[in-house]
Amino acid sequence: MTVLCLIEEADGQAADVSLRALTFARQLAGSSGQAVAAAVFGDPDAVPAEVLSGYGVSDAYAICSPQTEALSGYGVSDAYAIGSPKTLAGYAPQAWARALAGLSTGLPATAVVAAGTDRGQEVLAHLGALAGLPMAANCVSATADGPGRWQLVRHRWAGSLLEDAELEAPVAVLTVAPDAAAAEPAPTPAHTSVHRHEPALSEADLVVRAAESAEQSAAASLATARVVVGGGRGVGGPEGFAPLEELAGLLGGVLGVSRVVTSEGWRPHKQQVGQTGTRISPELYLACGISGAIQHMAGCLSARHIVAVNTDAEAPIIAHADYAVIGDLNEVIPALVTAIRARDGAP
Amino acid sequence: MQILVCVKRVPMVGGKIVILPNGQELDTHMSGFTVSPHEECAVEEAVRLTERYGGGVTVLTLGPAEAADQLRDMLALGASRAVLLETDGREWGPVATARAIVDAIRGGDGGYDLLLFGNESADTGGYQVPVRVAHALGLPCVTGIKGIEITESGGPGAARARREYGSTEEAFELPLPAVISVKEGINLPRYPSLPGRLRAKRAVIERFTPQWQPEGLSRLGLRVPATERRQAEILGTGTDAVPALLALLSELGVLK
């Protein structure tokens, strides 16, 4: 019996969130003496076997497009018999789910796990729907509790609340909360066998497919910034952000804002930190004039250090921050900028 | 074009989540209710699309009788029709919720060109109702969308849907009818107009009472994570705190 984990790639490597999901999958497998298998969409030579071996994966399945002959055997029309191994190179949510469903049945898997990314949630939701299985999103822990039964802890309110839950299903379909745990290699590496897996797909599975566009999104730099300077309602209006941007520049960071700022149209939504914006994980989050609503704090749970600048010593953010300055950001931040410039200017 | 938008009534949690002594539900007697933020954007997007292409917007929710308030809020934003799948207040899981929505679509007038949802509800965050509805109806589906354009002039034939992927964007073409879930940021929802509010107040809400069903994933209890509770060390007040703040930034190694 096996726990199957979907591995997403980023820059030609196994994505860090997927390694975290793999760590979660290994712990789940370990709690019931099972093996861990990985599913990677791509050719066998693109499978990061060495990394997977370090994480204790015994079998890795490279999910590739079937050949034309194989397709015709499944009654697929010529329209989709593309015949090129690139057919599955693009992301197609339902096709990915169909492939995981087939693999999971064949192994057989007792659980299918993926990182709680946009794609992870989407593919496992499709898997749940097409296989008639429940799906639990954003789990932080899972333990087997007899056949077809699991005890789970999962996020609600994007991690501001935890739910203890019980799952009863033939196969557990679980996504892992992205910031639930660190990626940890296995105590002893496994020997990883790489297999080619050609899924049986229908025409309908490939109707929705991604075409990547060259347009750049600013959200990525906010998500990965080492320093984020945040501005909220206390900034006072769209014209008040210049000192915060200047400070962010001096600290090699970027500007982030709270939901009220984007709802008021002061700044674009791509700069929003929060449950419905970007989740950040900087070394330092300097939150200025931000009260600390649940919606906002859900986006910065992974910040290493939080420093708040707020006029209200009773604001909720003070209870979430490591350090605080009680004062008006419109005075404190320009003074801080001046102090940094003076320091940089000194011999 | 005819658009259905599904929304969910959720508490406005503000700065703190308080759980009732039963450990099962949030204490909402001090908070108001709203629809999940992604869904308000879904309604706005639907209204914009019908302003451009004609047609109407139906809003649907599954929830207690009080969820009619949220339907009226959405009518005030420009939706033309509202359907309440009324429950006894118990929490419904995503499988049963999707089934009730599908039954309502099949049993009603149907004929929607587009079914819009929020990417995930603010409270339970299940990430699956739209996908389950799409599968049950045999419709194409994509989630997490930040931009929708209707392609093929002369009638709604297909939708082009865009979303962020890492540092780039990805785009999907979906033949209509289709199911799309959206994220906040796709638009900036309007404020309801006074005529909109008056119309919403008078509107008749269609009601149905679907049957609750248990499902594989069941809640045992809720709790606030322990790591939430830090208490800040106060560095000082006003600009007097700047030297201490500067020293802290230096200690954290973020000064160049």
Side-chain angles (χ1 to χ4, degrees):
Chain A
M1 302 295 257
T2 306
V3 173
L4 177 64
C5 184
L6 169 65
I7 304 297
E8 290 184 63
E9 296 197 324
D11 306 320
Q13 314 242 330
D16 184 59
V17 279
S18 291
L19 295 180
R20 295 186 209 188
L22 197 48
T23 306
F24 178 102
R26 191 179 70 237
Q27 284 159 357
L28 174 59
S31 76
S32 49
Q34 302 187 41
V36 182
V40 182
F41 283 80
D43 288 329
D45 54 7
V47 170
E50 206 170 308
V51 174
L52 297 181
S53 141
Y55 278 80
V57 171
S58 52
D59 293 277
Y61 295 87
I63 302 181
C64 317
S65 304
Q67 303 301 320
T68 327
E69 306 83 72
L71 267 171
S72 62
Y74 290 100
V76 172
S77 77
D78 286 9
Y80 276 90
I82 295 165
S84 143
K86 302 273 183 227
T87 308
L88 260 173
Y91 170 67
Q94 190 171 316
W96 281 34
R98 186 78 63 190
L100 288 182
L103 192 53
S104 153
T105 308
L107 284 172
T110 55
V112 181
V113 172
T117 57
D118 283 352
R119 286 184 176 183
Q121 310 285 23
E122 184 170 54
V123 171
L124 292 208
H126 276 282
L127 173 60
L130 64 84
L133 294 168
M135 167 217 178
N138 283 334
C139 297
V140 294
S141 77
T143 32
D145 185 20
R149 235 169 119 100
W150 293 264
Q151 299 295 324
L152 308 178
V153 180
R154 59 177 296 270
H155 279 180
R156 287 195 177 203
W157 293 97
S160 302
L161 197 63
L162 296 176
E163 172 188 354
D164 293 300
E166 189 172 77
L167 177 66
E168 282 187 78
V171 178
V173 177
L174 312 172
T175 66
V176 182
D179 44 14
E184 262 177 55
T188 46
H191 172 75
T192 308
S193 311
V194 179
H195 315 270
R196 185 183 174 91
H197 178 77
E198 296 180 356
L201 302 174
S202 75
E203 193 170 325
D205 294 334
L206 288 158
V207 166
V208 177
R209 313 180 55 167
E212 204 166 309
S213 92
E215 200 176 319
Q216 294 292 304
S217 145
S221 62
L222 180 57
T224 57
R226 192 162 166 269
V227 175
V228 176
V229 177
R233 191 192 292 276
V235 175
E239 64 292 333
F241 288 89
L244 298 180
E245 286 187 298
E246 189 178 2
L247 177 60
L250 287 171
L251 301 177
V254 298
L255 178 70
V257 301
S258 68
R259 180 156 180 259
V260 67
V261 169
T262 58
S263 306
E264 291 293 328
W266 296 351
R267 302 294 300 192
H269 187 274
K270 63 188 176 194
Q271 290 182 327
Q272 188 197 110
V273 172
Q275 184 173 343
T276 52
T278 301
R279 295 171 82 94
I280 60 171
S281 52
E283 187 68 19
L284 169 66
Y285 180 42
L286 184 58
C288 307
I290 291 177
S291 69
I294 292 290
Q295 138 83 23
H296 184 74
M297 298 318 297
C300 52
L301 293 173
S302 306
R304 187 90 184 273
H305 302 281
I306 299 178
V307 180
V309 178
N310 206 292
T311 50
D312 180 5
E314 303 295 317
I317 187 115
I318 308 296
H320 297 287
D322 302 292
Y323 302 93
V325 173
I326 308 305
D328 184 351
L329 75 100
N330 297 301
E331 293 164 10
V332 175
I333 300 305
L336 179 61
V337 166
T338 305
I340 293 171
R341 289 211 184 279
R343 175 184 174 276
D344 292 347
Chain B
M1 68 192 295
Q2 293 300 321
I3 305 177
L4 177 73
V5 189
C6 296
V7 302
K8 183 178 185 184
R9 170 184 165 96
V10 296
M12 275 198 264
V13 292
K16 198 169 179 220
I17 289 182
V18 181
I19 300 170
L20 288 175
N22 68 12
Q24 295 292 324
E25 285 139 46
L26 302 198
D27 183 348
T28 53
H29 83 278
M30 295 288 280
S31 64
F33 287 84
T34 181
V35 303
S36 297
H38 297 316
E39 294 151 15
E40 189 180 347
C41 292
V43 172
E44 173 67 28
E45 195 66 19
V47 171
R48 288 185 191 188
L49 287 170
T50 53
E51 281 168 352
R52 187 151 172 205
Y53 298 101
V57 177
T58 299
V59 280
L60 179 150
T61 195
L62 180 139
E66 297 81 11
D69 295 347
Q70 280 61 52
L71 290 176
R72 292 195 195 279
D73 289 348
M74 298 303 104
L75 288 165
L77 288 182
S80 40
R81 186 173 159 244
V83 179
L84 173 61
L85 306 181
E86 193 173 328
T87 69
D88 59 7
R90 247 185 303 188
E91 187 168 282
W92 281 52
V95 175
T97 300
R99 195 177 294 141
I101 293 170
V102 168
D103 288 346
I105 293 169
R106 285 196 179 132
D109 44 15
Y112 295 109
D113 301 297
L114 190 58
L115 280 68
L116 293 183
F117 292 77
N119 190 57
E120 84 279 1
S121 61
D123 57 350
T124 51
Y127 290 84
Q128 56 195 284
V129 170
V131 179
R132 290 187 187 276
V133 169
H135 275 263
L137 296 174
L139 298 178
C141 173
V142 70
T143 63
I145 290 305
K146 288 282 201 77
I148 298 174
E149 288 132 42
I150 302 300
T151 55
E152 293 181 33
S153 52
R160 186 178 162 78
R162 289 174 288 116
R163 71 181 182 192
E164 289 152 7
Y165 179 62
S167 61
T168 59
E169 266 199 352
E170 55 187 10
F172 300 83
E173 291 276 349
L174 294 92
L176 297 179
V179 175
I180 297 179
S181 83
V182 307
K183 279 190 181 176
E184 188 181 70
I186 187 172
N187 55 43
L188 192 55
R190 71 195 67 190
Y191 287 104
S193 64
L194 187 58
R197 280 179 208 266
L198 292 174
R199 198 179 56 239
K201 215 172 159 182
R202 288 192 306 264
V204 175
I205 290 173
E206 297 164 45
R207 288 166 199 259
F208 301 90
T209 46
Q211 197 63 45
W212 183 88
Q213 285 169 14
E215 50 192 88
L217 180 65
S218 50
R219 176 191 68 196
L220 299 176
L222 304 177
R223 58 197 157 94
V224 175
T227 49
E228 283 260 311
R229 302 181 201 100
R230 302 191 220 182
Q231 186 64 41
E233 175 187 324
I234 307 294
L235 295 174
T237 305
T239 51
D240 291 347
V242 167
L245 190 49
L246 191 61
L248 175 66
L249 298 183
S250 175
E251 191 187 315
L252 295 178
V254 297
L255 289 175
K256 282 178 188 167

